[in-house]
Amino acid sequence: MENLIALLVAAPLLGAAVLLCGGRALDRVGHWLGTLLAAASFVFAVVLFTDMLGKGAEERTLSQHLFSWIPVEGFQADVAFQLDQLSMTFVLLISGVGTLIHVYSIGYMEHDERRRRFFGYLNLFLAAMLLLVLADNYLLLYVGWEGVGLASYLLIGFWQHKPSAATAAKKAFLVNRVGDVGLSIAIMLMFTTFGTFAFGPVLEATGQTSEGKLTAIGLMLLLAACGKSAQVPLQSWLGDAMEGPTPVSALIHAATMVTAGVYLIVRSGAIFNGAPDAQLVVTIVGAVTLLFGAIVGCAKDDIKKALAGSTMSQIGYMILAAGLGPIGYVFAIMHLVTHGFFKAGLFLGAGSVMHGMNDEVNMRKYGGLRKYMPVTFVTFGLGYLAIIGFPGLSGFFSKDKIIEAAFAKGGAEGWILGSVALLGAAITAYYMTRVMIMTFFGEERWRHRATASPAQPSAEPAAQTEGAHDEPHPHESPKSMTIPMIVLAFGSVFAGGFFSIGDRFTHWLEPVTHHDHGDSPLSAATVTGATMVVLVIGVALAYVQYGRRPVPVTAPRGSLLTRAARRDLLQDDFNHVVLVRGGEHLTRSLVYVDHSLVDGVVNGTAASMGGLSGRLRKLQNGYARSYAVSMFGGAAVLIAATLLMRAV
Amino acid sequence: MSASAVHSLWTMAADPIDKIDAPKIEYGQLSPMLIVIGAAVIGVLIEAFVPRKTRYHVQLFVSVVALVAAFAAVVGLAARGFGTTKAHIAAMGAIAVDGPALFLQGTILLAGLVAIFTFAERRLDPEAHGNRVDSFAAQAGSVPGSEGERAATKAGFTTTEVFPLALFAIGGMLVFPAANDLLTLFIALEVFSLPLYLLCALARRKRLMSQEAAVKYFLLGAFASAFTLFGIALLYGYAGSVSYATIANVVEGNVKTIDPALADTMGNDALLLIGVAMVVMGLLFKVGAVPFHMWTPDVYQGAPTPVTGFMAAATKVAAFGALLRLLYVVLPGLRWDWRPVMWGVAIVTMLVGAIVAITQTDIKRLLAYSSIAHAGFILAGVIATTPDGVSSVLFYLAAYSFVTIGAFAVVTLVRDAGGEATHLSKWAGLGRRSPLVAAVFAVFLLAFAGIPLTSGFTGKFAVFKAAADGGAGALVVIGVLSSAIAAFFYIRVIVLMFFSEPKADGPTVAVPSPLTMTAIGVGVAVTLVLGVAPQYFLDLAGQAGVFVR
């Protein structure tokens, strides 16, 4: 069984290698090959999963040692895999959703001439992501971590002919660099502290390590998680990352890669459990991002950017839960999985809408689409109900548990975090209802366009295939796109309930993450009731604002907060003023020092060497007699020096 | 055992002289030297008896066979364990057969073989009166520019004497690092120096410059030899013997019996110190260390380029071998006296070599100063006084000699109407005209500069590491700084070749015969192999790092 683990990674990796090196000969079959290998990986995952279910809870961990990567004395780095319940959950999510999105992309990317390359990148992403969650040590995890970063960069900038896409890819890459530095420092700290990178020894040894060191490692891991999972303060890249093709947004920037930070924190639970200060920072980051993303999501008119804000906010929930320690680990992962279903479904739905609307992304130019794309409407609607936490659907179970866990943290912290989580639930209900109403209900605002709209910055190039009509002809997407949406909708509806009945998910993950019920000041029923109340308030508010009144096609100026939220709460302005300007000043002064001091010393040295050389050269005058004198003098000095050495 | 043999030598004088034992000569162990010197003698006979037309081929054949056979003999001796376990002092205490000796002899023989190939090159100069000509004067005795010279050229004379001369020089160089007493050392010094003085004078082009170089070399060499000989006399006065082992014993205070004839001088430390300084000076002259380096640029520039390459490589190997043996076998007990002095010599050698090279405009002079700087780097390894120091120097010498011969061989290819175009300005843009030749030369320059993946890096790393381990950290710092300065002018030549516009009247690159191509090819191959996969050779040098005493 263990030998199957490597195949999980190997299948998509092979696909990436073949597709990227294969050349044009594979253009015809490339997408099928990529999808097949992704599906193969999923099949292996299912086989391993059934095998795992057949074993007792404590015997479920499998490991596979492939080879010694860097066998140096005192520095052992192995390529080895570890498959436990936590990685299994991720493997199923990644390969399952990954396969669905491969299928979806067959239809979505049909007219793109670089489709083979797209599937190659997708396979590369799958391989790297699986490596990330299967690694049995932090160094190999880092390889996967960088691999998904690379794939993300390549896919965000897939339409590189658009300057906005190229810029967005670069931005994502650079911001992630900051986080990656955190991970590399964390790994170095681990090596100096524990002498190894492997999960087992590191996490076992946390008990004997000082809290200060654990806090340092924990904060560095958090920095890494912030970069990858778009948490404040490294959140700015996620919105721009929506420049990538929509399947990419669904797979990488909603369901899987952006949740790697949550995986990292939950996997390193033992470190955080020993460092309460680091945990507190994690919860604060989660809570802040939760509100930040939600507020941004309220103001965006671009459907994908609204969803991106929502993703940020939902991952904030997960990070918050992960920061709660054993009370929250299980729920962080559970919300991660249910979110993987409904957010991927929502993005695919958004892609389907765009597909039918000439790649228009501005929701103000949608409206009343439920008649034209019924499948998209239903699946998107189910995803919507799931994310706002409608009773009985996935999000209800997982988000409710996180809110409960936040209160269960206890003390003032518990109250604050719980309230923030509740507030977040209200805002989530508000902005998702807004998206729903603006897209599928109300008047058909796309009908009355006076002239062709100016090219949207995010217009996708597949637009040309629809022809440049003034008016779009909304239509349902092909089967290859709708079937994945339907499958994901099933997950959105039933996954939460399935996991929660009899605390199945808790028992499943408990051997790895451990679980603690905490001590909640509020009863579960009170929390659920409160959640329902804020849910209704949020939906009602949005209905009043967007359902009862006509939606203007051009956005009104809005309040100060709205305008700030449209600008992503001034994240880029902040970065520009603090980082870019500061960086420019720093480099300018460094350049000055370089020119005046460093170059001065260098050039001065060179000039003095040249001068010295010129002078010494004159000694070489060509006369044998001078040479002989030099030798004689040298001999005299040599003898004198030898004698002198004896004398002193 | 050697000590007893030597002891019997100088106690014999007191015995009645009616019975003299025939000296015990281990012909097998001396075979590398005997083969080469024997071939040189045969070469002289060839000059006398073989018709002029066929002499070139016969001489080349004899030389190559002799060098290959001698190398085979060295390998055979090493295989039989003379380099390690069976190290032995042969010929009544005159010649050591041990690891360093065999390693250096092997290096000299291979370098000599490659150099002989460049000596024999006859396709670079245009044919003179229908005869192929090499780098050497048609007739050494003719006055430059005279009617006699023209007649000799017209008659198609060639100076095939260069082959036996080179063989004599190589023979002397083989003895030099193996010499185990001061007289043998001196004889070997003269045996290899005299042919080199002659060879320097034999350039076909720029003969006046060549003769001037030879005269300078001869005068200064004789001057240095005088110092050496005087130092030997002083040391004999101090120890009552010229044998290394005996001197070492006296230095260490192990010998208490005093020869009555030398009662006044024996054990006088002033004699020892002055004598050591003078002998060492003679060796430093040969390696071209500052302040005994002044001859190097003039001679390197004036001598025929194949001879320059041969000298720069093989002489340095032989002289450093002799210096190592002197310092490690004779004077380990005196190292607190000579180490500081050698520190000073190494430092000024590295710095002067590197700094003066910056302003050179002639490629041969540039390489001459580069060889001075390299002498300084090697001295740093010598100063380490550890087994690692010995083996690092051995490795460095092997690596350096092939780079040097290769580099000078490339210099012979770049020519204009006046022969070799050695002025640096003419090398501008060579990389565009002859990318292959320029690339090969760039490899050699990078090796000189000590860039990783070339033998130069491995060698430099080895000697600096040995020096640092031997407690000469400051020396290493200065060595690295000098390397940085030196890198400047090596890289500058590369920049000149590849990033400058070629001149309209620039030189052409001659197409050499397979002989020179072999020399250059071997140089490149050794440079890269010793740079990329040096471990086997480092191990070899490591095993060969112990002197017999």
Side-chain angles (χ1 to χ4, degrees):
Chain A
M1 258 315 142
E2 292 87 8
N3 299 334
L4 271 185
I5 303 177
L7 290 178
L8 285 173
V9 181
L13 194 63
L14 174 75
V18 169
L19 291 177
L20 294 178
C21 306
R24 292 183 188 286
L26 290 170
D27 274 354
R28 287 238 189 123
V29 292
H31 47 289
W32 292 113
L33 182 69
T35 311
L36 199 70
L37 286 166
S41 196
F42 180 63
V43 171
F44 294 139
V46 170
V47 172
L48 282 164
F49 179 60
T50 32
D51 176 66
M52 189 179 272
L53 285 180
K55 293 182 187 167
E58 299 299 327
E59 298 145 19
R60 285 179 171 171
T61 304
L62 291 178
S63 56
Q64 183 184 12
H65 183 268
L66 272 193
F67 56 89
S68 283
W69 180 17
I70 311 173
V72 182
E73 197 182 331
F75 184 100
Q76 184 72 24
D78 289 335
V79 174
F81 298 130
Q82 172 186 326
L83 184 71
D84 56 13
Q85 290 91 327
L86 181 60
S87 351
M88 191 73 242
T89 312
F90 271 91
V91 166
L92 285 172
L93 176 74
I94 295 161
S95 58
V97 175
T99 308
L100 287 178
I101 284 171
H102 273 77
V103 173
Y104 180 90
S105 304
I106 294 175
Y108 191 85
M109 300 297 284
E110 194 174 358
H111 304 292
D112 196 298
E113 53 186 30
R114 292 161 75 227
R115 179 163 64 165
R116 171 180 57 84
R117 186 181 291 260
F118 180 80
F119 277 85
Y121 291 158
L122 275 189
N123 270 353
L124 178 67
F125 169 76
L126 278 191
M129 189 72 205
L130 290 167
L131 183 67
L132 195 166
V133 298
L134 284 170
D136 92 328
N137 60 73
Y138 282 98
L139 201 65
L140 191 61
L141 177 145
Y142 190 53
V143 175
W145 190 270
E146 292 295 314
V148 294
L150 169 69
S152 161
Y153 168 79
L154 293 170
L155 286 165
I156 294 172
F158 186 73
W159 287 319
Q160 66 222 61
H161 52 86
K162 289 196 296 180
S164 58
T167 313
K170 201 195 281 177
K171 185 175 181 185
F173 190 79
L174 289 176
V175 176
N176 268 293
R177 229 62 320 256
V178 179
D180 295 349
V181 167
L183 184 55
S184 62
I185 293 176
I187 292 175
M188 291 178 216
L189 281 176
M190 276 174 205
F191 185 72
T192 55
T193 311
F194 307 109
T196 175
F197 315 107
F199 290 149
V202 167
L203 300 179
E204 272 165 29
T206 49
Q208 297 97 50
T209 314
S210 73
E211 195 184 318
K213 277 188 176 166
L214 291 180
T215 308
I217 297 175
L219 289 178
M220 284 299 129
L221 289 174
L222 174 64
L223 181 64
C226 283
K228 201 58 84 191
S229 296
Q231 299 294 294
V232 175
L234 299 180
Q235 81 291 359
S236 64
W237 63 273
L238 187 62
D240 295 295
M242 298 301 129
E243 289 293 336
T246 307
V248 172
S249 310
L251 176 61
I252 302 185
H253 304 121
T256 55
M257 185 193 83
V258 285
T259 60
V262 183
Y263 171 77
L264 185 67
I265 291 176
V266 173
R267 176 57 85 192
S268 315
I271 292 173
F272 284 95
N273 293 345
D277 292 341
Q279 274 188 323
L280 181 65
V281 180
V282 174
T283 53
I284 292 172
V285 164
V288 169
T289 313
L290 186 169
L291 290 180
F292 189 103
I295 293 171
V296 169
C298 292
K300 290 287 180 186
D301 291 330
D302 177 328
I303 185 167
K304 284 179 73 180
K305 294 209 169 163
L307 290 176
S310 157
T311 303
M312 208 185 279
S313 165
Q314 298 300 314
I315 296 171
Y317 272 109
M318 300 170 209
I319 295 277
L320 168 63
L324 295 172
I327 314 174
Y329 290 143
V330 171
F331 304 129
I333 300 299
M334 187 160 120
H335 192 55
L336 191 154
V337 175
T338 56
H339 174 260
F341 284 119
F342 57 67
K343 185 53 66 64
L346 287 169
F347 264 111
L348 295 190
S352 173
V353 169
M354 287 156 55
H355 195 73
M357 291 290 289
N358 290 359
D359 289 294
E360 178 61 67
V361 291
N362 188 349
M363 295 187 292
R364 292 187 183 276
K365 291 173 184 167
Y366 292 166
L369 290 175
R370 65 182 184 282
K371 279 177 280 180
Y372 302 95
M373 14 184 104
V375 180
T376 307
F377 169 61
V378 173
T379 54
F380 196 94
L382 290 171
Y384 155 73
L385 291 176
I387 193 173
I388 64 171
F390 191 80
L393 271 64
S394 287
F396 168 76
F397 293 101
S398 52
K399 199 192 291 178
D400 202 45
K401 285 285 194 328
I402 291 180
I403 298 173
E404 273 177 43
F407 280 114
K409 169 94 172 163
E413 287 169 32
W415 281 102
I416 295 171
L417 294 173
S419 313
V420 167
L422 262 183
L423 180 60
I427 307 178
T428 307
Y430 171 80
Y431 68 73
M432 283 312 298
T433 310
R434 174 176 175 270
V435 169
M436 197 67 199
I437 293 174
M438 282 175 87
T439 306
F440 291 103
F441 295 92
E443 56 179 315
E444 298 170 353
R445 292 182 298 278
W446 41 271
R447 278 207 188 280
H448 308 297
R449 281 197 276 178
T451 50
S453 68
Q456 285 294 318
S458 322
E460 301 187 4
Q464 278 103 44
T465 60
E466 292 281 332
H469 301 298
D470 281 344
E471 211 172 77
H473 303 284
H475 56 84
E476 191 52 272
S477 299
K479 284 252 161 38
S480 64
M481 289 169 68
T482 50
I483 290 174
M485 286 152 61
I486 295 168
V487 176
L488 287 172
F490 269 97
S492 314
V493 175
F494 299 113
F498 178 77
F499 289 159
S500 295
I501 295 169
D503 286 337
R504 272 194 196 136
F505 200 74
T506 311
H507 294 314
W508 159 253
L509 272 189
E510 212 173 359
V512 183
T513 60
H514 306 293
H515 185 62
D516 183 0
H517 285 289
D519 188 19
S520 178
L522 301 173
S523 73
T526 319
V527 173
T528 310
T531 316
M532 283 306 109
V533 171
V534 298
L535 167 70
V536 171
I537 294 174
V539 172
L541 212 59
Y543 177 70
V544 169
Q545 223 176 333
Y546 294 94
R548 300 281 296 275
R549 295 181 223 154
V551 179
V553 176
T554 41
R557 189 149 181 272
S559 68
L560 200 63
L561 180 64
T562 313
R563 273 180 280 150
R566 277 195 199 126
R567 297 197 63 149
D568 301 292
L569 291 179
L570 306 179
Q571 60 182 15
D572 291 333
D573 307 77
F574 176 83
N575 285 349
H576 187 77
V577 170
V578 176
L579 299 177
V580 178
R581 291 263 177 79
E584 276 172 0
H585 281 297
L586 182 67
T587 49
R588 241 176 255 151
S589 35
L590 284 178
V591 165
Y592 174 75
V593 171
D594 185 46
H595 277 210
S596 54
L597 196 67
V598 179
D599 286 6
V601 170
V602 169
N603 294 336
T605 312
S608 62
M609 283 297 160
L612 189 60
S613 177
R615 247 165 278 148
L616 281 175
R617 200 181 157 193
K618 294 214 178 83
L619 291 176
Q620 192 79 26
N621 57 12
Y623 292 117
R625 56 178 187 261
S626 307
Y627 298 175
V629 167
S630 149
M631 282 170 62
F632 187 81
V637 171
L638 207 63
I639 291 166
T642 314
L643 289 173
L644 198 67
M645 282 306 136
R646 176 58 63 92
V648 287
Chain B
M1 113 185 227
S2 61
S4 66
V6 171
H7 187 76
S8 71
L9 264 183
W10 58 265
T11 50
M12 212 179 283
D15 294 337
I17 313 179
D18 55 356
K19 48 174 181 163
I20 297 177
D21 291 333
K24 184 167 173 288
I25 301 294
E26 296 87 340
Y27 291 100
Q29 294 169 34
L30 302 178
S31 56
M33 290 154 265
L34 296 178
I35 291 170
V36 172
I37 293 174
V41 173
I42 294 172
V44 174
L45 295 177
I46 292 170
E47 285 302 317
F49 296 110
V50 173
R52 195 183 285 278
K53 289 264 172 202
T54 51
R55 264 184 224 162
Y56 165 81
H57 296 285
V58 177
Q59 290 284 23
L60 179 57
F61 176 77
V62 168
S63 305
V64 170
V65 168
L67 292 175
V68 170
F71 184 73
V74 167
V75 172
L77 287 174
R80 280 164 57 200
F82 281 99
T84 49
T85 51
K86 286 166 72 180
H88 178 62
I89 293 177
M92 306 297 285
I95 301 285
V97 184
D98 59 5
L102 289 176
F103 188 95
L104 292 170
Q105 285 175 342
T107 308
I108 292 168
L109 286 166
L110 287 182
L113 183 64
V114 176
I116 287 287
F117 287 155
T118 62
F119 278 37
E121 175 63 52
R122 296 210 296 178
R123 288 204 196 151
L124 297 176
D125 258 335
E127 292 186 356
H129 307 285
N131 298 306
R132 283 188 172 165
V133 295
D134 51 22
S135 304
F136 301 100
Q139 200 172 27
S142 60
V143 178
S146 67
E147 192 56 44
E149 187 185 36
R150 271 193 290 279
T153 312
K154 202 166 182 180
F157 291 177
T158 52
T159 312
T160 44
E161 289 91 341
V162 293
F163 294 103
L165 284 173
L167 285 180
F168 275 123
I170 292 172
M173 288 170 185
L174 294 181
V175 178
F176 204 46
N180 200 48
D181 67 50
L182 291 169
L183 276 182
T184 313
L185 180 81
F186 183 73
I187 303 285
L189 175 72
E190 293 304 316
V191 167
F192 82 76
S193 294
L194 290 169
L196 285 179
Y197 302 147
L198 280 177
L199 285 169
C200 283
L202 294 181
R204 173 178 290 271
R205 309 271 195 156
K206 299 173 188 156
R207 284 194 65 200
L208 278 175
M209 208 171 150
S210 167
Q211 293 182 348
E212 182 192 330
V215 169
K216 278 181 189 165
Y217 191 18
F218 172 67
L219 282 176
L220 298 173
F223 193 44
S225 292
F227 274 94
T228 310
L229 199 54
F230 194 31
I232 289 173
L234 293 178
L235 284 179
Y236 178 77
Y238 167 77
S241 165
V242 290
S243 155
Y244 282 5
T246 315
I247 300 174
N249 279 332
V250 178
V251 169
E252 286 161 16
N254 298 336
V255 174
K256 297 295 175 209
T257 50
I258 294 186
D259 184 1
L262 294 166
D264 293 342
T265 57
M266 256 191 86
N268 184 335
D269 276 353
L271 290 185
L272 170 68
L273 295 174
I274 298 173
V276 164
M278 291 175 113
V279 174
V280 165
M281 188 219 123
L283 296 175
L284 291 178
F285 174 83
K286 281 293 163 198
V287 302
V290 178
F292 315 107
H293 68 291
M294 305 290 262
W295 61 277
T296 327
D298 290 12
V299 175
Y300 276 24
Q301 188 185 13
T305 308
V307 175
T308 311
F310 171 61
M311 260 192 326
T315 309
K316 201 154 268 183
V317 177
F320 266 111
L323 186 63
L324 274 177
R325 187 175 297 279
L326 187 72
L327 295 180
Y328 281 63
V329 174
V330 183
L331 303 172
L334 208 60
R335 64 174 171 279
W336 303 116
D337 294 286
W338 62 258
R339 272 188 70 170
V341 180
M342 296 297 278
W343 263 66
V345 174
I347 289 173
V348 291
T349 306
M350 290 189 281
L351 287 177
V352 169
I355 291 174
V356 181
I358 293 175
T359 42
Q360 297 305 314
T361 52
D362 184 283
I363 189 75
K364 284 170 80 176
R365 285 184 85 84
L366 181 87
L367 291 178
Y369 280 104
S370 138
S371 90
I372 294 170
H374 281 277
F377 299 142
I378 303 174
L379 277 177
V382 171
I383 290 168
T385 52
T386 56
D388 274 353
V390 180
S391 49
S392 70
V393 170
L394 297 183
F395 182 87
Y396 199 117
L397 288 170
Y400 175 78
S401 50
F402 288 95
V403 180
T404 305
I405 297 182
F408 279 106
V410 173
V411 171
T412 63
L413 302 184
V414 182
R415 311 178 78 89
D416 59 14
E420 290 160 9
T422 55
H423 199 273
L424 267 180
S425 63
K426 300 204 172 152
W427 286 58
L430 191 72
R432 310 219 178 157
R433 288 196 185 155
S434 312
L436 184 63
V437 170
V440 165
F441 199 63
V443 168
F444 291 138
L445 289 172
L446 292 176
F448 280 135
I451 304 297
L453 298 185
T454 63
S455 60
F457 171 76
T458 322
K460 217 174 256 182
F461 184 80
V463 291
F464 284 165
K465 183 173 182 299
D469 290 347
L475 198 61
V476 173
V477 171
I478 294 173
V480 172
L481 289 177
S482 314
S483 301
I485 299 172
F488 167 75
F489 57 79
Y490 295 127
I491 306 294
R492 197 184 57 169
V493 176
I494 296 179
V495 170
L496 190 70
M497 289 193 300
F498 286 96
F499 302 104
S500 301
E501 285 300 320
K503 283 193 177 172
D505 59 338
T508 53
V509 171
V511 178
S513 69
L515 290 165
T516 300
M517 280 190 208
T518 310
I520 296 173
V522 168
V524 172
V526 171
T527 304
L528 294 181
V529 168
L530 294 192
V532 177
Q535 198 53 49
Y536 173 78
F537 301 95
L538 282 172
D539 290 345
L540 197 66
Q543 286 164 16
V546 182
F547 288 100
V548 67
R549 177 172 157 185

